[in-house]
């Protein structure tokens, strides 16, 4: 097989489509991929400029424990199990722990469906094989048993098979163009809310690959179009990683390929989580703030208990500098397991007041009095109640000071 050039790929920020095209053995191929929030599926369109020239195999794999099966000639299903515990640091005695006997650990399912134009589709050994098609559409649906911050995904989880199937079945009566239109309309309703122009467009640098353009920018920062591109790429990432009904974006956004990701792929709430959401109000993406507000509500529930247990404070709530999908609020680190753990950085109960700024900014930008009355004010008030009791009067300086203090 020979690639004869003209390889091209892009991410179009204006409609959130990813495209790959190339020529192989005299045939031109094109793949167009989108992830649709309204339909909750990924779709990939495969096309060629020659009838019957499309042949390929589709399989599903995972770094976690899984099995796969085919259903009929066009549906592939992967069923998997996540560990009940994954260590964040290499000094911990148990790194990756599965618990198949008790059932603890998150369950998940991925379904892949192939729809062809011309040619044939057959299943063999957990592989879907397309032969001599004119074009094809791959639809992928996925779900987990996650059922909230306060429920075990193993014992009290949702049925991921049911949820993945519901999303897949809903696409049965929709064409590729309909799915693409749903995605584009939804995405552009957010992306097109803000535009930015810094006075330069249409220059020769617009046609450069982004990595080359960025390399040139380090030596010459007069390329204002690169600044605009970077600005809009940040907005794209926010739209892609923080939508209503989902979890807020964490240290890796939502893109993480590791079983043991850097820093646990969690929420570092002493600045990183806040940084993810600083642009939302400023850039016309107010609705993308919602997952963070729901997260804060959960932290307030757990944080009221931590305030009592750790500090003997019976009113208000707090969160320390690290949290996760379970909205944990206790100090992180365990000195017995990791000597690098230290109260110097783990004893920092200030995340509640940090997050209060996000609550206030959302009201300040939008003026939503119902949000202020029902969500923002109660959370801000209770965060302040904790701080009011945590601060101690210093007779020497005459100020209220933190005690203990952390660096």
């Amino acid at each position: 097989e020979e690639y004869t050039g003209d390889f091209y790929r892009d991410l179009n920020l204006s409609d959130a489509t990813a495209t790959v095209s190339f020529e192989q053995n005299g045939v031109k191929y094109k793949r167009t991929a989108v992830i649709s929030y309204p339909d909750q599926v990924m779709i990939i369109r495969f096309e060629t400029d020659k009838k019957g020239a499309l042949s390929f195999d589709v399989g599903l794999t995972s770094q976690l424990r899984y099995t796969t099966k085919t259903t009929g000639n066009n549906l592939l299903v992967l069923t998997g199990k996540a560990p009940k515990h994954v260590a964040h640091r290499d000094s911990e005695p148990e790194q990756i722990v599965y618990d198949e006997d008790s059932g603890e650990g998150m369950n998940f399912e991925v379904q892949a469906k192939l729809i062809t134009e011309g040619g044939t589709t057959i299943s063999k050994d957990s592989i879907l094989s397309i032969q001599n098609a004119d074009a094809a559409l791959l639809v992928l649906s996925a779900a987990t048993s996650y059922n909230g911050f306060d429920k075990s995904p193993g014992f009290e989880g949702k049925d991921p098979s049911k949820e993945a199937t519901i999303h897949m079945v809903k696409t049965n009566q929709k064409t590729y163009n309909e799915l693409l239109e749903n995605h584009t309309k939804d995405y552009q309703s957010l992306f097109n809310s803000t535009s930015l122009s810094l006075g330069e467009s249409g220059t020769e640098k617009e046609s450069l690959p982004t990595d080359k353009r960025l390399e040139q920018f380090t030596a010459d920062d007069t390329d204002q179009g690169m600044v605009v591109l970077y600005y809009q790429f940040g907005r794209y990432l926010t739209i892609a990683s923080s939508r209503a009904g989902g979890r807020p974006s964490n240290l890796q956004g939502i893109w993480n390929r590791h079983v043991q990701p850097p820093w646990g792929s969690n929420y570092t709430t002493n600045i990183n989580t806040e940084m993810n959401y600083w642009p939302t109000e400023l850039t016309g993406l107010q609705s993308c703030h919602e997952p963070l507000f729901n997260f804060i509500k959960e932290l307030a529930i757990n944080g009221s208990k931590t305030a009592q247990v750790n500090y003997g404070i019976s009113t208000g709530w707090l969160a320390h500098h690290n949290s996760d999908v379970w909205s944990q609020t206790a100090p992180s680190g365990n000195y017995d397991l990791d000597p690098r753990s230290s109260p110097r950085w783990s004893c920092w109960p200030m995340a509640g007041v940090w997050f209060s700024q996000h609550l206030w900014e959302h009201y300040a930008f939008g003026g939503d009095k119902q949000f202020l009355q029902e969500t923002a004010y109660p959370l801000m008030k209770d965060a302040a109640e904790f701080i009011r009791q945590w601060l101690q009067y210093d007779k020497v300086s005459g100020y209220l000071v933190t005690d203990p203090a952390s660096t």
Side-chain angles (χ1 to χ4, degrees):
E1 297 183 347
E2 181 182 358
Y3 292 93
T4 57
D6 294 328
F7 181 88
Y8 172 84
R9 67 174 183 173
D10 72 16
L11 169 64
N12 189 327
L13 297 183
S14 66
D15 59 12
T17 61
T19 303
V20 176
S21 62
F22 57 92
E23 185 174 327
Q24 183 179 12
N25 297 329
V27 181
K28 293 182 179 180
Y29 295 87
K30 182 180 179 180
R31 299 197 300 263
T32 304
V34 303
I35 296 180
S36 171
Y37 174 72
D39 287 302
Q40 292 291 295
V41 293
M42 179 178 76
I43 53 176
I44 305 176
R45 170 77 172 176
F46 300 84
E47 302 172 83
T48 73
D49 67 347
K50 181 180 178 182
K51 285 187 173 297
L54 196 61
S55 298
F56 60 90
D57 295 336
V58 173
L60 293 173
T61 64
S62 173
Q63 296 185 69
L64 306 178
R65 294 182 179 178
Y66 73 96
T67 60
T68 57
K69 65 178 181 180
T70 54
T71 302
N73 288 332
N74 74 333
L75 184 65
L76 181 62
V77 179
L78 181 149
T79 302
K81 184 76 171 181
K84 77 167 185 178
H85 171 76
V86 174
H88 292 180
R89 299 182 184 276
D90 55 16
S91 57
E92 294 186 33
E94 294 184 309
Q95 291 293 297
I96 301 175
V97 181
Y98 284 91
D99 189 0
E100 302 287 1
D101 295 333
S102 73
E104 187 57 280
M106 199 173 302
N107 304 303
F108 60 94
E109 182 164 304
V110 182
Q111 298 184 8
K113 178 175 65 176
L114 274 171
I115 304 168
T116 62
E117 297 176 18
T120 58
T121 305
I122 61 174
S123 60
K124 54 181 180 180
D125 301 327
S126 299
I127 296 292
L128 296 179
S129 180
I130 287 182
Q131 298 176 355
N132 307 121
D134 302 331
L137 178 65
L138 174 66
V139 182
L140 188 142
S141 173
T144 75
S145 62
Y146 182 77
N147 197 23
F149 76 103
D150 55 351
K151 293 182 175 64
S152 161
F155 303 135
E156 305 169 274
K158 295 186 293 186
D159 181 355
S161 178
K162 180 179 179 181
E163 187 169 347
T165 300
I166 288 173
H167 296 316
M168 184 64 78
V169 169
K170 286 182 179 179
T171 68
N172 287 343
Q173 305 303 318
K174 298 177 183 178
T175 66
Y176 166 70
N177 287 333
E178 289 172 332
L179 292 168
L180 183 61
E181 183 180 356
N182 288 347
H183 156 77
T184 304
K185 183 178 179 180
D186 168 74
Y187 173 78
Q188 290 185 341
S189 70
L190 293 169
F191 188 79
N192 291 347
S193 65
T194 299
S195 62
L196 176 64
S197 174
L198 298 178
E200 279 198 25
S201 62
T203 68
E204 70 279 0
K205 293 183 179 181
E206 297 285 343
S207 61
L208 286 174
T210 303
D211 58 337
K212 300 297 183 183
R213 192 176 181 185
L214 185 60
E215 184 179 322
Q216 291 187 11
F217 188 82
T218 61
D220 179 9
D221 62 3
T222 60
D223 180 6
Q224 296 302 306
M226 184 65 208
V227 177
V228 173
L229 181 65
Y230 192 65
Y231 169 85
Q232 294 291 21
F233 180 61
R235 297 182 70 242
Y236 160 81
L237 292 177
T238 298
I239 296 170
S241 65
S242 185
R243 301 295 297 273
R247 305 304 301 170
S249 56
N250 56 33
L251 284 179
Q252 274 73 44
I254 57 172
W255 303 273
N256 168 53
R257 61 184 177 87
H258 304 287
V259 176
Q260 291 181 281
W263 305 108
S265 193
N266 59 19
Y267 300 96
T268 303
T269 58
N270 62 356
I271 194 169
N272 297 110
T273 306
E274 289 83 357
M275 289 171 67
N276 283 2
Y277 286 91
W278 283 343
T280 52
E281 302 295 329
L282 294 165
T283 65
L285 300 179
Q286 287 83 3
S287 66
C288 293
H289 225 153
E290 182 177 326
L292 181 65
F293 300 146
N294 291 333
F295 183 53
I296 295 172
K297 292 177 184 178
E298 297 167 359
L299 292 174
I301 294 172
N302 288 341
S304 65
K305 301 173 185 175
T306 303
Q308 297 178 44
V309 172
N310 286 52
Y311 300 99
I313 294 177
S314 58
T315 59
W317 67 277
L318 78 151
H320 288 84
H321 91 287
N322 251 315
S323 190
D324 55 21
V325 75
W326 316 112
S327 303
Q328 78 94 13
T329 55
S332 62
N334 186 321
Y335 191 82
D336 292 333
L337 298 178
D338 185 355
R340 292 171 292 184
S341 297
S342 170
R344 278 194 309 114
W345 48 263
S346 65
C347 186
W348 184 84
M350 299 291 291
V353 288
W354 261 91
F355 281 137
S356 292
Q357 187 71 16
H358 287 262
L359 296 165
W360 175 255
E361 287 297 309
H362 186 67
Y363 166 70
F365 272 82
D368 186 343
K369 291 187 177 180
Q370 182 177 358
F371 171 80
L372 178 65
Q373 180 178 356
E374 297 178 1
T375 299
Y377 180 75
L379 290 169
M380 292 189 296
K381 177 179 179 295
D382 286 347
E385 285 288 348
F386 168 79
I387 292 297
R388 189 175 65 85
Q389 296 195 52
W390 183 60
L391 294 173
Q392 302 296 313
Y393 179 71
D394 177 28
K395 295 180 180 179
V396 177
S397 67
Y399 289 106
L400 290 171
V401 298
T402 60
D403 181 18
S406 62
T407 58

